[in-house]
């Protein structure tokens, strides 16, 4: 974990310094945090990092080390917002950002909610927009007054394979004879005709019988 101190005065004002290990503060060039001022001792103080907790210790400096305006002599625990002062140099202490650990179950639930929300939003947009007009879908298609598209290509039928005779492949259907219904008038005429023929035959027989009786008398 990396702690941060932010300068509040002097030429370093606003500058942030990360502390991820034990670091020496002083005027000496070998110090980790160099403060160039006569009031700063060569080895003024030290930041100590113990089990991710930040401490500060004065190293017997001439002008002292202060935490929240109180001069310290021993190791002092630091926390968020503390003001550490080396002579006239002041720094604000910033704790490391806490990492949020999300349980796998909660992470899966969050992903599912986000996915469902995206699907619902897409469906809502489709409902609001509706089905696009033919002109919007293809500006090159021209419509007639009846709303029918023009200049639209009609797909051609598939070519007939070579060697296939369509006349043999599809036989012509044979005509089925249909009996014509006999009308009632024709039926009556046929009956009258048969009756006349029978009557004439009967008369002829009577005449033949008379003639034969006269001849043999």
């Amino acid at each position: 974990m990396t702690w941060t101190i932010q300068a509040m005065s002097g030429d370093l004002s606003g500058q942030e310094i990360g502390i991820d290990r034990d670091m020496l503060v002083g005027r000496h060039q070998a110090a980790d945090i160099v403060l160039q001022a006569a009031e700063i001792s060569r080895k003024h103080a030290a930041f100590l990092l113990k089990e991710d907790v930040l401490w500060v210790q004065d190293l017997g400096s001439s002008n002292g080390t202060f935490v929240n305006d109180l001069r310290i002599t021993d190791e002092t625990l630091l926390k968020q917002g503390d003001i550490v002062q080396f002579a006239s140099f002041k720094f604000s202490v910033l704790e490391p950002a806490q990492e949020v650990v999300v349980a796998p179950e909660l992470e899966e639930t969050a992903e599912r909610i986000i996915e469902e929300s995206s699907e619902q939003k897409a469906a809502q947009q489709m409902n609001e927009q509706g089905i696009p007009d033919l002109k919007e879908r293809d500006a090159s298609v021209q419509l007639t007054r009846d709303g029918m598209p023009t200049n639209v290509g009609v797909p051609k039928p598939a070519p007939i394979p070579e060697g296939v005779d369509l006349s043999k492949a599809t036989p012509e259907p044979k005509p089925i004879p249909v009996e014509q219904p006999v009308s009632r008038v024709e039926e009556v005429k046929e009956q009258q005709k048969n009756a006349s023929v029978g009557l004439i035959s009967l008369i002829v027989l009577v005449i033949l019988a008379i003639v034969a009786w006269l001849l043999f008398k």
Side-chain angles (χ1 to χ4, degrees), residues 5 8 10 26 39 57 60 68 77 89 91 108 129 146 149-150 173-175 213-214:
I5 57 172
M8 301 176 61
E39 57 187 342
Q57 180 182 9
N68 299 327
L77 178 65
F89 291 87
F91 295 87
E108 293 177 358
Q129 294 175 358
D146 298 332
T150 61
K174 296 181 179 180
W213 180 72
L214 292 174

Side-chain angles (χ1 to χ4, degrees), residues 46-51 53-57 74-78:
F47 285 107
L48 306 175
L49 199 60
K50 301 178 181 180
E51 297 181 354
V53 179
L54 185 62
W55 301 71
V56 64
Q57 180 182 9
D74 299 323
E75 294 181 3
T76 302
L77 178 65
L78 298 176

Side-chain angles (χ1 to χ4, degrees), residues 169-188:
T170 306
E172 295 183 358
K174 296 181 179 180
I176 300 175
V178 178
E179 296 181 358
Q180 297 295 333
V182 180
S183 64
R184 182 63 178 171
V185 176
E186 293 179 354
E187 185 177 354
V188 172

Side-chain angles (χ1 to χ4, degrees), residues 15-215:
Q15 181 176 341
E16 295 183 353
I17 302 173
I19 301 176
D20 56 358
R21 55 184 173 82
D22 294 349
M23 299 180 70
L24 176 64
V25 180
R27 192 176 73 250
H28 195 280
Q29 294 297 325
D32 297 295
I33 302 175
V34 180
L35 302 177
Q36 293 291 353
E39 57 187 342
I40 299 296
S41 301
R42 291 170 58 84
K43 296 182 179 180
H44 195 102
F47 285 107
L48 306 175
L49 199 60
K50 301 178 181 180
E51 297 181 354
D52 296 332
V53 179
L54 185 62
W55 301 71
V56 64
Q57 180 182 9
D58 185 76
L59 300 179
S61 63
S62 300
N63 296 306
T65 300
F66 300 82
V67 175
N68 299 327
D69 296 329
L70 296 177
R71 187 166 183 168
I72 63 173
T73 56
D74 299 323
E75 294 181 3
T76 302
L77 178 65
L78 298 176
K79 61 182 181 300
Q80 173 73 19
D82 284 346
I83 304 300
V84 180
Q85 182 177 351
F86 309 107
S88 62
F89 291 87
K90 292 185 178 182
F91 295 87
S92 176
V93 178
L94 303 176
E95 290 183 354
Q98 298 294 328
E99 296 182 359
V100 179
V101 179
V102 181
E105 296 81 3
L106 296 178
E107 186 175 357
E108 293 177 358
T109 302
E111 291 179 355
R112 185 174 67 255
I113 293 175
I114 294 174
E115 183 177 356
E116 292 177 354
S117 177
S118 300
E119 293 177 354
Q120 292 177 357
K121 185 176 181 181
Q124 183 178 0
Q125 290 179 351
M126 292 182 64
N127 292 335
E128 292 177 354
Q129 294 175 358
I131 300 176
D133 187 72
L134 183 59
K135 293 183 178 179
E136 295 178 358
R137 285 178 284 173
D138 191 351
S140 63
V141 176
Q142 301 296 327
L143 300 180
T144 63
R145 293 182 178 179
D146 298 332
M148 299 299 293
T150 61
N151 300 328
V152 177
V154 178
K156 297 181 179 180
I160 300 173
E162 296 182 0
V164 176
D165 189 352
L166 294 180
S167 60
K168 296 181 179 179
T170 306
E172 295 183 358
K174 296 181 179 180
I176 300 175
V178 178
E179 296 181 358
Q180 297 295 333
V182 180
S183 64
R184 182 63 178 171
V185 176
E186 293 179 354
E187 185 177 354
V188 172
K189 290 181 179 180
E190 185 68 22
Q191 291 177 356
Q192 292 177 352
K193 181 179 180 181
N194 294 336
S196 299
V197 172
L199 181 58
I200 294 173
S201 299
L202 181 59
I203 293 173
V204 170
L205 290 176
V206 171
I207 293 173
L208 291 176
I210 294 171
V211 171
W213 180 72
L214 292 174
L215 290 177

